[in-house]
Amino acid sequence: MRDVGPIVDARGIHAHYGLSHVLHGVDLIVHPGEAIGLMGRNGMGKTTLLRSVLGLLPPRRGSVHVRGVDMTRAAPHRIARAGIAYVPEGRGIFPNLTVRENLIMAARPGVGGRNEWTYDRVLATFPRLMERLGHGGQQLSGGEQQMLTIGRALMTNPDLLILDEATEGLAPLIAQEIWRIIGQICATGVAAILVDKNLAAVTRVTDRNIILVKGRVVFEGTSAELRANPAIGLQHLGV
Amino acid sequence: MRWLALPFDTFAIQLLNAVQYGLLLFLVASGLTLVFGIMGVINLAHGSFYMIGAYLAWSLAEHFGNLGIAIVVGVALSLLIGAALEWLFIRRLYDRDHLYQVLLTYGLILIVEELRSIVWGDDVHAVPVPDWLAASIPLTDTLSYPVYRLWISGVCIALAIAMAFVIQRTRIGMTIRAGASNREMAQSLGIDIRFVQLVVFAVGIALAAFAGMIAAPVSSVFPGMGNQVIIICFVVVVIGGIGSVKGALVAALLIGLVDTFGKVLELEVAGIPVLPELAGMSVYVLMAIVLLWRPEGLFGKRAP
Ligand SMILES: Nc1ncnc2c1ncn2[C@@H]1O[C@H](COP(=O)(O)OP(=O)(O)O)[C@@H](O)[C@H]1O
Ligand SMILES: [Mg+2]
């Protein structure tokens, strides 16, 4: 896997919402098995960058290659089927489907037919969901909803898992449990892009980190570098 | 207030007619409510495919000499027509205002009607009931009920059960429901939502056409026959709750009952004749009552 090149290779991404120019030439490269932290204050363009990569907001300029194939303007489902799973901000569970159906509807083997994440394994990873299988999506607590979206993403057997603000609005203990599980998932060799406010928690899991300010990359470096230079976090993230 | 009660055998026959009419309405309305609920598209031309179905049944039955074969071929053709329409026109409407949808699909009504006139002419036609369904079941010494109408009801019930099964119990159904609730999320999980929408639209068209085909032997085949159906179908969708197939079934049966019995019952209030004189309004009165009671329809989602 290591020598097949990056899973995602996005270069010079410019994204717009109508007239407002949000991303100004951002690069994002993710290699197999790598965990990347994507950080920045609110409104700096993190979600927009992810949506550009996922085909949900095709970039005005720049290119997105997935496993070496040009997917700059590909439909989102093709990009997903190339092995990328997305846990969006605000979760995006299907409230009109039960917990079980939310998981089943996403199930598919990964690229190359891998089937490591079965229904049973996902439930074993999130035992809390087991008691909720017949419930509708909106009957779940915030933490359970987040577990469901992560579990659902895993059902697609992704090579890259993208988590946008996975612990946003969760009680500290629940957030801790989510971080523990994210750590477990990354340890299985799935690559990840993590967007989160909690610098310490992110850098504990990630190899490399990117900080966005107003749609531009202002820092890119290892977690060790970030920890060694608290000034960087202070300047760009305010923590 | 004065009622004139019906004799029991007439009542039984009218009840069977009401159910059969309601079930047929359901077939047409189910496609309309799915397309409306899932894709957010108001398809005014939906009823035109009920008419196309009837004309297909008539011309293909003449050609093959067999209504069964005509229906199979007709359904296949309708699926193709539905898919082609979605691909050419309807998919351009998903992100647009309802006004565009109404304009385009109203235009489709005119085009379909014109094409029908060119291809099949403007005459009224009759389609014979297939021999093996041509019998009647005697109810009393003087009254009997045609087997073909019972067959229509049976087929509609079977289709309703199949539809419920697909939507509620299968992976395809989960996918359709997921796409209806959050299109982007479904796509990001690898679902080709455009294809799902194409299939749902084509199946909806095929259901409407199929309803027209099996109705042809009892209703005859005539120009503009879809226009009466589409209005009642919108009433069904609104009463049942937009997007709800279950709601469409209940509403269609209610309308079948109200419409049928509105025409045969006699009712006088304070010396003024109400039924059957005002039977033409009964369905709309029903709609008004339901909407006053539940503005989102019987099985509709309450607006958040
Ligand atoms: N749908 C949208 N329409 C218009 N502007 C948007 C939209 N979504 C985000 N923006 C703007 O784009 C910028 C980047 O937003 P976003 O990518 O969501 O930031 P982040 O995820 O880093 O908080 C912000 O200024 C935000 O106001
Ligand atoms: Mg964001």
Side-chain angles (χ1 to χ4, degrees), chain A residues 5 19 25 35 78 85 121 128 179 226 228-229:
Chain A
L19 290 177
R78 286 193 49 217
R121 176 156 173 213
R128 274 160 173 267
W179 276 115
L226 258 186
N229 299 290

Side-chain angles (χ1 to χ4, degrees), chain A residues 51 56 76-77 80-81 84-86 88 91-97 100-101 104-108 152-153 156, chain B residues 167-169 171 173-194 301:
Chain A
R51 290 172 54 82
L56 295 170
H77 75 269
R81 288 192 171 256
I84 303 181
Y86 180 38
R91 298 174 193 135
I93 53 168
F94 302 116
N96 53 342
L97 271 64
R100 193 183 139 272
E101 289 174 332
I104 300 274
M105 63 79 60
R108 81 177 122 84
R152 188 181 61 185
T156 68
Chain B
I167 292 173
Q168 294 304 329
R169 295 271 177 270
R171 181 92 186 257
M174 289 175 206
T175 306
I176 292 173
R177 283 183 284 140
S181 110
N182 190 338
R183 208 191 294 188
E184 274 195 356
M185 194 63 241
Q187 286 177 295
S188 299
L189 289 164
I191 286 161
D192 184 352
I193 206 78
R194 289 187 146 215
K301 275 180 243 97

